[in-house]
Amino acid sequence: MQDRRHFLKAAALSAAALSLDGITSEKAQAADASKGKVTKPIVVSTWDFGRAANEAAWDVLKKGGRALDAVEAGVRVPEADPNNHTVGYSGFPDRDGRVTLDACIMDELGNCGSVAALEHVTHAISVARAVMEKTPHVMLVGDGALQFALANGFKKENLLTPESEKAWREWLKKSEYKPIMNIENSSYGPDKATTFNPLKLPGNVYNHDTIGMVALDANGNLSGACTTSGMAFKLHGRVGDSPIIGAGLYVDNEVGAATSTGVGEEVIRVVGSFLVVELMRQGYSPEAACKEAVTRIVKKNKERAKGLQVGFLAINKKGEHGAYCLQKGFNYAVLSEKESNVLIDGKHYF
Ligand code: SD4
């Protein structure tokens, strides 16, 4: 009995400690809510190249457009960027030299669509949206996804650019399968943060990665999109978190939306984006929710987590945003009437 009382007290104390950030922020949110303050529209996205994506999303949002259209338009920007080697066209290939894309999209009604291991189509996000809108399914993979895309008017292209092919051939010399930390952040050059520089180019030429974007529109509706070529030089057939609803992206129009970047295997293990949204439902602020999801990853295996990067990014129904990551180096871009596409460094666990 004594033990049980002790346990209950300890559990209550640790629950209070865990949610302290959330509660503090909850008070701030309550104060804002009493003043009727909601920041909308607003769009946030991962990494510095999220700024260009945010601009495209803003073109939709500022006219009163739907968050779903905004996030699709936004992430199509890095998908088409030949200098971005981890999203869409010119993405780094897998270890067999094949560029395979993962993407998903989710709207305010809980509709969602996804493609994994899609080849030969730049705008994987638009194929994911077509899966959502034109099929009774959520997810199509590989050849099936390609056949569906071609049948729906998408053009077959070669996504492997000479630069990405050169990087792959360089990688083949050693064939070391190592996640490259902060490959996404253009200020983290390979000399500073990695031991492998496949293109032997300055960091800002090749250091870009997955884009996750979540937005709240003028009508107060949320949507999100996530698209990537996945981990560079991955095993053929490997799928990360980015196309998995609940892992790489989750939207609940009552609560908020979250997305992730980094080593997808870690995100899948904790069903990260769903976890972040559920924590916000319990009253955590976006940042506190992202921090708790990162902490779960650390709890699973601290030694492994020390060598990896994962970042979560979230917004809630009030248009508040926050992020948290394992290591220094993750940043995100915010665009609203209050914040003019500012880049914010994610707080980090280690
Ligand atoms: C993946 N999460 O395929 C993606 C990669 C990524 O920043 O986001 N890198 O695991």
Side-chain angles (χ1 to χ4, degrees), residues 109-333:
L109 303 168
N111 298 312
C112 47
S114 158
V115 288
L118 171 69
E119 294 183 73
H120 307 302
V121 182
T122 294
H123 292 300
I125 198 65
S126 298
V127 184
R129 182 166 177 176
V131 172
M132 172 174 103
E133 291 178 339
K134 296 183 178 173
T135 80
H137 309 305
V138 166
M139 194 166 192
L140 292 180
V141 305
D143 279 350
L146 176 61
Q147 279 167 29
F148 169 78
L150 299 180
N152 282 277
F154 291 86
K155 295 271 171 312
K156 190 168 182 178
E157 304 158 80
N158 173 25
L159 305 184
L160 185 65
T161 59
E163 211 175 41
S164 292
E165 185 173 353
K166 186 175 164 214
W168 169 61
R169 294 202 181 279
E170 190 64 32
W171 175 83
L172 277 178
K173 290 180 188 165
K174 282 196 180 165
S175 303
E176 263 180 330
Y177 184 63
K178 266 193 202 161
I180 303 173
M181 188 136 25
N182 292 326
I183 189 173
E184 309 84 350
N185 184 332
S186 64
S187 61
Y188 273 68
D191 297 332
K192 294 175 210 151
T194 74
T195 53
F196 173 64
N197 178 1
L199 291 176
K200 302 217 184 323
L201 291 169
N204 62 358
V205 176
Y206 91 104
N207 278 354
H208 290 287
D209 208 329
T210 302
I211 185 156
M213 172 182 276
V214 287
L216 179 68
D217 64 28
N219 290 320
N221 287 322
L222 292 157
S223 287
C226 186
T227 178
T228 187
S229 55
M231 199 166 282
F233 320 120
K234 61 198 174 186
L235 281 176
H236 181 63
R238 180 264 186 190
V239 173
D241 59 319
S242 305
I244 298 178
I245 297 294
L249 176 75
Y250 197 69
V251 176
D252 186 319
N253 208 41
E254 286 181 1
V255 178
T259 188
S260 64
T261 181
V263 178
E265 283 75 2
E266 300 304 311
V267 178
I268 292 170
R269 282 188 183 102
V270 298
V271 199
S273 292
F274 180 74
L275 175 60
V276 170
V277 171
E278 287 305 299
L279 289 165
M280 290 195 290
R281 189 192 306 281
Q282 291 170 29
Y284 282 56
S285 69
E287 182 184 309
C290 292
K291 182 177 182 182
E292 174 59 13
V294 164
T295 305
R296 295 271 177 102
I297 289 175
V298 176
K299 277 187 194 155
K300 298 248 178 247
N301 188 328
K302 191 166 187 176
E303 284 315 302
R304 188 172 60 208
K306 274 183 189 165
L308 302 171
Q309 178 62 300
V310 168
F312 291 105
L313 170 62
I315 56 175
N316 63 19
K317 279 294 270 188
K318 298 188 183 90
E320 296 162 324
H321 54 82
Y324 212 84
C325 54
L326 281 170
Q327 324 282 344
K328 188 170 184 227
F330 168 61
N331 55 15
Y332 68 101

